[in-house]
Amino acid sequence: MTLVSAVTPTYNRADYIEGAIATVREQTHDPIEHVVVVDGSTDDTREVLAGYEDDPDVRVLYNDRNRGIAYSFDRAVRAADGEYVAILGDDDRWRPPKTERQLRAMERLSGLVDDPGSYCGVYTAGVRQGPDGTAERIDTGAAGDLWPEILLENVLIPDSSKLIRRDAVLGVGGFDTDFPHAVDWELGIRLAREYNWAYLPEVLVERAFHADNVSGDIQFGDPAYEVEAKELVYGKYRDAVETHVRGPFLGALEKQRGLAALEAGDRLDAVGHLARAARHDPSVTVLATLALSALGPGAYRAAWRLNDRLA
Protein backbone atom coordinates (compact mmCIF):
# COMPACT_ATOMS: atom_id res chain seq x y z
CA MET A 1 0.00 0.00 0.00
CA THR A 2 1.10 3.57 -0.74
CA LEU A 3 2.53 5.37 2.28
CA VAL A 4 1.15 8.90 2.62
CA SER A 5 2.66 11.52 4.91
CA ALA A 6 0.38 14.16 6.39
CA VAL A 7 2.44 17.29 7.15
CA THR A 8 1.26 19.83 9.73
CA PRO A 9 3.06 22.89 11.12
CA THR A 10 1.62 24.26 14.34
CA TYR A 11 2.26 27.35 16.42
CA ASN A 12 0.43 28.02 19.68
CA ARG A 13 -2.57 25.94 18.66
CA ALA A 14 -2.76 23.48 21.56
CA ASP A 15 -6.54 23.52 21.30
CA TYR A 16 -6.51 22.46 17.63
CA ILE A 17 -3.61 20.08 17.08
CA GLU A 18 -5.28 16.99 18.58
CA GLY A 19 -8.17 17.44 16.18
CA ALA A 20 -5.71 17.48 13.28
CA ILE A 21 -4.12 14.24 14.50
CA ALA A 22 -7.55 12.68 14.92
CA THR A 23 -8.63 13.58 11.39
CA VAL A 24 -5.57 11.78 9.98
CA ARG A 25 -6.21 8.72 12.13
CA GLU A 26 -9.79 8.55 10.85
CA GLN A 27 -8.75 8.21 7.21
CA THR A 28 -9.93 5.05 5.47
CA HIS A 29 -6.55 4.73 3.73
CA ASP A 30 -3.72 3.02 5.56
CA PRO A 31 -0.76 3.52 6.00
CA ILE A 32 -0.46 7.22 6.82
CA GLU A 33 2.23 8.81 8.93
CA HIS A 34 1.71 12.25 10.45
CA VAL A 35 4.68 14.61 10.67
CA VAL A 36 3.94 17.52 13.00
CA VAL A 37 6.38 20.43 13.28
CA VAL A 38 6.01 22.60 16.37
CA ASP A 39 7.21 26.04 15.38
CA GLY A 40 8.48 27.40 18.69
CA SER A 41 5.12 27.26 20.47
CA THR A 42 4.94 28.83 23.92
CA ASP A 43 1.54 27.45 24.94
CA ASP A 44 0.66 23.89 26.05
CA THR A 45 1.36 22.29 22.66
CA ARG A 46 4.37 20.30 23.92
CA GLU A 47 2.37 18.87 26.81
CA VAL A 48 -0.51 17.93 24.50
CA LEU A 49 1.79 16.19 22.02
CA ALA A 50 3.60 14.30 24.78
CA GLY A 51 0.65 11.92 24.73
CA TYR A 52 1.70 10.74 21.24
CA GLU A 53 5.33 9.88 22.04
CA ASP A 54 4.62 6.14 21.78
CA ASP A 55 2.46 6.42 18.66
CA PRO A 56 4.50 5.03 15.73
CA ASP A 57 2.33 6.89 13.21
CA VAL A 58 2.89 10.35 14.71
CA ARG A 59 6.29 12.05 14.50
CA VAL A 60 6.73 15.37 16.26
CA LEU A 61 9.61 17.70 15.40
CA TYR A 62 10.44 20.87 17.33
CA ASN A 63 11.95 24.00 15.80
CA ASP A 64 14.51 25.73 18.02
CA ARG A 65 12.49 28.96 17.67
CA ASN A 66 9.58 30.36 15.67
CA ARG A 67 10.75 30.09 12.07
CA GLY A 68 7.51 30.56 10.14
CA ILE A 69 5.07 28.36 8.28
CA ALA A 70 7.17 27.90 5.12
CA TYR A 71 10.20 26.65 7.07
CA SER A 72 8.01 24.30 9.11
CA PHE A 73 6.22 22.88 6.06
CA ASP A 74 9.54 22.40 4.31
CA ARG A 75 11.05 20.62 7.31
CA ALA A 76 8.04 18.32 7.53
CA VAL A 77 8.19 17.40 3.84
CA ARG A 78 11.91 16.66 3.98
CA ALA A 79 11.45 14.48 7.07
CA ALA A 80 8.51 12.58 5.57
CA ASP A 81 8.85 9.03 4.27
CA GLY A 82 5.69 8.89 2.16
CA GLU A 83 5.43 8.74 -1.61
CA TYR A 84 2.85 11.50 -1.28
CA VAL A 85 2.62 14.40 1.15
CA ALA A 86 -0.78 15.67 2.24
CA ILE A 87 -0.93 19.29 3.37
CA LEU A 88 -2.94 19.73 6.59
CA GLY A 89 -3.41 22.93 8.56
CA ASP A 90 -3.73 22.30 12.29
CA ASP A 91 -7.22 23.83 12.28
CA ASP A 92 -8.50 22.02 9.17
CA ARG A 93 -10.30 18.69 9.13
CA TRP A 94 -10.51 15.94 6.50
CA ARG A 95 -13.46 13.72 5.80
CA PRO A 96 -12.53 10.04 6.29
CA PRO A 97 -12.32 8.91 2.63
CA LYS A 98 -10.25 11.90 1.44
CA THR A 99 -6.85 10.24 1.07
CA GLU A 100 -8.26 7.03 -0.37
CA ARG A 101 -10.29 8.90 -2.99
CA GLN A 102 -7.31 11.03 -3.99
CA LEU A 103 -5.00 8.05 -4.43
CA ARG A 104 -7.63 6.39 -6.62
CA ALA A 105 -7.88 9.57 -8.69
CA MET A 106 -4.12 9.54 -9.25
CA GLU A 107 -4.25 5.87 -10.22
CA ARG A 108 -7.01 6.54 -12.74
CA LEU A 109 -4.81 9.05 -14.54
CA SER A 110 -2.78 6.17 -16.00
CA GLY A 111 -5.78 5.20 -18.11
CA LEU A 112 -6.88 8.72 -18.96
CA VAL A 113 -3.76 10.63 -20.00
CA ASP A 114 -0.70 9.83 -22.09
CA ASP A 115 1.79 10.81 -19.39
CA PRO A 116 0.51 10.31 -15.82
CA GLY A 117 3.94 11.36 -14.53
CA SER A 118 3.21 14.88 -15.78
CA TYR A 119 0.77 15.29 -12.86
CA CYS A 120 2.19 16.34 -9.49
CA GLY A 121 -0.92 15.73 -7.42
CA VAL A 122 -4.63 16.17 -6.82
CA TYR A 123 -6.71 18.53 -4.72
CA THR A 124 -10.41 18.47 -3.81
CA ALA A 125 -13.40 20.67 -3.11
CA GLY A 126 -14.13 21.75 0.45
CA VAL A 127 -16.30 23.86 2.69
CA ARG A 128 -15.42 26.68 5.02
CA GLN A 129 -17.39 28.32 7.76
CA GLY A 130 -17.52 32.10 7.62
CA PRO A 131 -17.29 34.47 10.58
CA ASP A 132 -21.09 34.72 10.57
CA GLY A 133 -21.50 30.95 10.78
CA THR A 134 -22.54 30.44 7.16
CA ALA A 135 -20.93 27.65 5.16
CA GLU A 136 -19.37 28.27 1.76
CA ARG A 137 -18.37 25.63 -0.77
CA ILE A 138 -14.84 25.94 -2.18
CA ASP A 139 -14.88 24.48 -5.67
CA THR A 140 -12.58 26.15 -8.22
CA GLY A 141 -12.58 23.27 -10.71
CA ALA A 142 -9.16 24.29 -12.05
CA ALA A 143 -7.23 21.31 -13.44
CA GLY A 144 -4.63 20.28 -15.99
CA ASP A 145 -2.10 22.86 -17.13
CA LEU A 146 -2.60 25.88 -14.86
CA TRP A 147 0.43 27.87 -16.02
CA PRO A 148 0.51 30.87 -16.31
CA GLU A 149 -3.05 31.57 -15.06
CA ILE A 150 -2.10 30.49 -11.53
CA LEU A 151 -0.04 33.68 -11.29
CA LEU A 152 -3.32 35.61 -11.09
CA GLU A 153 -4.72 33.86 -8.03
CA ASN A 154 -4.39 30.73 -5.95
CA VAL A 155 -6.95 28.36 -7.45
CA LEU A 156 -5.50 25.34 -5.63
CA ILE A 157 -7.77 25.73 -2.62
CA PRO A 158 -8.57 24.72 0.02
CA ASP A 159 -4.88 24.44 0.88
CA SER A 160 -5.41 21.39 3.10
CA SER A 161 -6.97 19.45 0.23
CA LYS A 162 -3.70 18.91 -1.64
CA LEU A 163 -2.12 15.46 -2.02
CA ILE A 164 1.22 15.94 -3.80
CA ARG A 165 4.00 13.63 -4.94
CA ARG A 166 6.85 14.20 -2.52
CA ASP A 167 9.45 13.91 -5.29
CA ALA A 168 7.66 16.71 -7.20
CA VAL A 169 7.72 19.04 -4.18
CA LEU A 170 11.41 18.40 -3.58
CA GLY A 171 12.11 18.58 -7.32
CA VAL A 172 10.98 22.20 -7.47
CA GLY A 173 12.94 23.07 -4.33
CA GLY A 174 10.38 22.56 -1.56
CA PHE A 175 8.70 25.44 0.23
CA ASP A 176 10.31 28.86 -0.13
CA THR A 177 11.42 29.63 3.42
CA ASP A 178 11.82 33.33 2.55
CA PHE A 179 8.08 33.65 1.91
CA PRO A 180 6.27 34.87 5.07
CA HIS A 181 2.75 34.40 3.68
CA ALA A 182 0.93 32.83 0.71
CA VAL A 183 3.35 29.89 0.88
CA ASP A 184 0.86 27.41 -0.61
CA TRP A 185 0.18 29.68 -3.57
CA GLU A 186 3.91 30.19 -4.18
CA LEU A 187 4.64 26.46 -4.13
CA GLY A 188 1.62 25.87 -6.36
CA ILE A 189 3.04 28.32 -8.91
CA ARG A 190 6.34 26.45 -9.17
CA LEU A 191 4.60 23.09 -9.37
CA ALA A 192 2.20 24.36 -12.06
CA ARG A 193 5.13 25.58 -14.12
CA GLU A 194 6.51 22.02 -14.25
CA TYR A 195 3.45 19.76 -13.81
CA ASN A 196 -0.28 19.41 -14.32
CA TRP A 197 -2.80 19.25 -11.48
CA ALA A 198 -5.73 16.85 -11.06
CA TYR A 199 -8.95 17.87 -9.34
CA LEU A 200 -11.53 15.85 -7.43
CA PRO A 201 -14.88 17.71 -7.17
CA GLU A 202 -15.87 16.15 -3.85
CA VAL A 203 -16.16 18.07 -0.60
CA LEU A 204 -13.50 16.30 1.47
CA VAL A 205 -12.05 19.14 3.56
CA GLU A 206 -13.68 21.30 6.22
CA ARG A 207 -12.31 24.61 7.39
CA ALA A 208 -13.58 26.80 10.22
CA PHE A 209 -13.01 30.53 10.61
CA HIS A 210 -11.66 31.83 13.91
CA ALA A 211 -9.98 34.98 15.17
CA ASP A 212 -6.35 33.77 14.94
CA ASN A 213 -6.73 32.05 11.58
CA VAL A 214 -4.32 34.17 9.54
CA SER A 215 -4.48 32.13 6.34
CA GLY A 216 -8.25 32.30 6.54
CA ASP A 217 -8.16 36.08 6.19
CA ILE A 218 -7.27 35.97 2.52
CA GLN A 219 -9.92 33.34 1.88
CA PHE A 220 -12.58 35.49 3.47
CA GLY A 221 -11.59 38.50 1.43
CA ASP A 222 -9.30 40.62 3.60
CA PRO A 223 -8.04 43.15 1.01
CA ALA A 224 -4.88 44.05 2.97
CA TYR A 225 -3.83 40.39 3.11
CA GLU A 226 -4.66 39.96 -0.58
CA VAL A 227 -2.46 42.96 -1.38
CA GLU A 228 0.45 41.51 0.61
CA ALA A 229 0.11 38.11 -1.08
CA LYS A 230 -0.01 39.61 -4.58
CA GLU A 231 2.94 41.90 -3.87
CA LEU A 232 5.00 38.93 -2.69
CA VAL A 233 4.15 36.96 -5.82
CA TYR A 234 4.86 39.95 -8.04
CA GLY A 235 8.20 40.49 -6.35
CA LYS A 236 9.33 36.94 -7.05
CA TYR A 237 7.64 36.35 -10.42
CA ARG A 238 7.70 39.82 -11.92
CA ASP A 239 9.17 38.74 -15.27
CA ALA A 240 6.60 35.97 -15.69
CA VAL A 241 3.74 38.26 -14.67
CA GLU A 242 4.86 40.99 -17.06
CA THR A 243 5.21 38.47 -19.88
CA HIS A 244 2.00 36.50 -19.44
CA VAL A 245 -0.65 38.21 -17.28
CA ARG A 246 0.40 41.82 -16.79
CA GLY A 247 -2.95 43.59 -17.29
CA PRO A 248 -5.19 41.26 -15.24
CA PHE A 249 -2.59 40.88 -12.47
CA LEU A 250 -1.89 44.58 -12.01
CA GLY A 251 -5.59 45.31 -12.34
CA ALA A 252 -6.36 42.83 -9.54
CA LEU A 253 -3.52 44.21 -7.39
CA GLU A 254 -4.72 47.81 -7.75
CA LYS A 255 -8.29 46.70 -7.10
CA GLN A 256 -7.24 45.08 -3.82
CA ARG A 257 -5.22 48.16 -2.89
CA GLY A 258 -8.32 50.23 -3.54
CA LEU A 259 -10.48 47.97 -1.40
CA ALA A 260 -7.91 48.06 1.39
CA ALA A 261 -7.96 51.86 1.26
CA LEU A 262 -11.76 51.79 1.28
CA GLU A 263 -11.73 49.56 4.36
CA ALA A 264 -9.35 52.03 6.02
CA GLY A 265 -11.75 54.90 5.30
CA ASP A 266 -9.55 56.63 2.70
CA ARG A 267 -12.09 57.01 -0.11
CA LEU A 268 -9.93 59.34 -2.24
CA ASP A 269 -6.98 56.92 -2.20
CA ALA A 270 -9.39 54.06 -2.96
CA VAL A 271 -10.76 55.80 -6.05
CA GLY A 272 -7.21 56.43 -7.29
CA HIS A 273 -6.23 52.77 -6.98
CA LEU A 274 -9.47 51.57 -8.56
CA ALA A 275 -9.08 53.99 -11.45
CA ARG A 276 -5.62 52.54 -12.10
CA ALA A 277 -7.11 49.05 -11.83
CA ALA A 278 -9.61 49.93 -14.54
CA ARG A 279 -6.81 51.15 -16.78
CA HIS A 280 -4.93 47.87 -16.37
CA ASP A 281 -8.02 45.69 -16.65
CA PRO A 282 -11.18 47.43 -17.91
CA SER A 283 -13.44 44.59 -16.91
CA VAL A 284 -17.00 44.83 -15.64
CA THR A 285 -15.90 43.74 -12.14
CA VAL A 286 -13.26 46.45 -11.81
CA LEU A 287 -15.54 49.16 -13.20
CA ALA A 288 -18.37 48.10 -10.88
CA THR A 289 -16.01 48.20 -7.90
CA LEU A 290 -14.85 51.67 -8.94
CA ALA A 291 -18.44 52.86 -9.06
CA LEU A 292 -19.28 51.34 -5.67
CA SER A 293 -16.21 52.92 -4.07
CA ALA A 294 -17.82 56.32 -4.45
CA LEU A 295 -20.57 55.15 -2.11
CA GLY A 296 -18.18 54.01 0.61
CA PRO A 297 -17.33 50.65 2.24
CA GLY A 298 -20.89 49.96 3.38
CA ALA A 299 -22.23 49.84 -0.17
CA TYR A 300 -19.36 47.68 -1.33
CA ARG A 301 -19.80 45.22 1.56
CA ALA A 302 -23.53 44.94 0.86
CA ALA A 303 -22.88 44.19 -2.81
CA TRP A 304 -20.20 41.69 -1.85
CA ARG A 305 -22.55 39.82 0.52
CA LEU A 306 -25.27 39.75 -2.15
CA ASN A 307 -22.81 38.34 -4.69
CA ASP A 308 -21.71 35.63 -2.26
CA ARG A 309 -25.30 34.59 -1.57
CA LEU A 310 -26.15 34.47 -5.27
CA ALA A 311 -23.03 32.37 -5.89
Side-chain angles (χ1 to χ4, degrees):
M1 294 287 288
T2 302
L3 175 63
V4 173
S5 299
V7 292
T8 302
T10 187
Y11 174 67
N12 285 351
R13 294 278 185 81
D15 292 339
Y16 292 94
I17 189 60
E18 284 195 286
I21 293 173
T23 205
V24 173
R25 284 178 155 177
E26 292 164 2
Q27 292 294 290
T28 56
H29 175 77
D30 184 59
I32 301 181
E33 67 167 0
H34 197 172
V35 183
V36 178
V37 176
V38 181
D39 191 23
S41 293
T42 57
D43 64 355
D44 297 331
T45 299
R46 184 179 288 269
E47 288 75 16
V48 169
L49 291 175
Y52 299 92
E53 289 179 352
D54 297 327
D55 189 330
D57 296 324
V58 179
R59 282 196 285 151
V60 182
L61 307 176
Y62 292 90
N63 292 341
D64 56 349
R65 55 185 172 82
N66 182 249
R67 292 178 172 268
I69 192 170
Y71 177 93
S72 300
F73 261 132
D74 195 68
R75 186 180 182 192
V77 170
R78 294 181 187 280
D81 292 324
E83 180 179 343
Y84 289 89
V85 291
I87 305 299
L88 177 61
D90 56 12
D91 52 356
D92 295 335
R93 303 296 179 255
W94 294 340
R95 293 184 176 175
K98 172 188 174 290
T99 308
E100 181 180 355
R101 299 272 177 84
Q102 288 181 292
L103 289 172
R104 286 182 182 175
M106 292 299 290
E107 291 171 2
R108 284 197 300 270
L109 285 173
S110 60
L112 297 174
V113 299
D114 294 333
D115 182 13
S118 66
Y119 282 76
C120 63
V122 55
Y123 71 108
T124 79
V127 291
R128 61 189 168 205
Q129 179 183 338
D132 59 355
T134 59
E136 176 187 359
R137 182 183 173 103
I138 312 167
D139 189 2
T140 70
D145 183 0
L146 303 181
W147 177 264
E149 287 75 18
I150 195 172
L151 291 165
L152 293 172
E153 63 178 314
N154 183 16
V155 293
L156 300 169
I157 55 174
D159 294 330
S160 289
S161 73
K162 299 188 191 79
L163 182 77
I164 319 172
R165 287 168 32 204
R166 181 172 175 270
D167 68 323
V169 177
L170 296 179
V172 299
F175 282 83
D176 185 343
T177 57
D178 291 328
F179 246 62
H181 306 296
V183 299
D184 293 276
W185 184 13
E186 193 284 322
L187 176 64
I189 289 171
R190 278 181 286 127
L191 286 167
R193 191 161 51 184
E194 303 293 333
Y195 297 97
N196 295 327
W197 279 92
Y199 177 66
L200 190 59
E202 291 186 58
V203 174
L204 296 170
V205 178
E206 300 174 2
R207 182 167 184 76
F209 179 90
H210 50 86
D212 61 341
N213 184 335
V214 175
S215 62
D217 292 343
I218 187 171
Q219 294 179 352
F220 284 102
D222 182 341
Y225 195 96
E226 293 252 16
V227 168
E228 184 176 7
K230 281 184 166 57
E231 287 178 342
L232 285 167
V233 167
Y234 189 55
K236 181 168 183 176
Y237 296 101
R238 180 168 186 150
D239 289 345
V241 168
E242 293 285 340
T243 300
H244 299 290
V245 293
R246 183 179 190 276
F249 185 96
L250 294 179
L253 176 56
E254 288 294 344
K255 176 185 172 183
Q256 293 300 332
R257 285 171 173 163
L259 297 180
L262 198 62
E263 290 284 334
D266 192 341
R267 196 176 302 181
L268 184 61
D269 191 38
V271 171
H273 283 299
L274 292 169
R276 285 190 287 276
R279 286 199 296 271
H280 285 298
D281 182 21
S283 67
V284 173
T285 302
V286 172
L287 292 175
T289 305
L290 176 59
L292 284 169
S293 69
L295 302 176
Y300 178 77
R301 283 292 184 186
W304 188 8
R305 286 195 296 270
L306 176 61
N307 180 71
D308 281 349
R309 288 182 180 178
L310 289 173

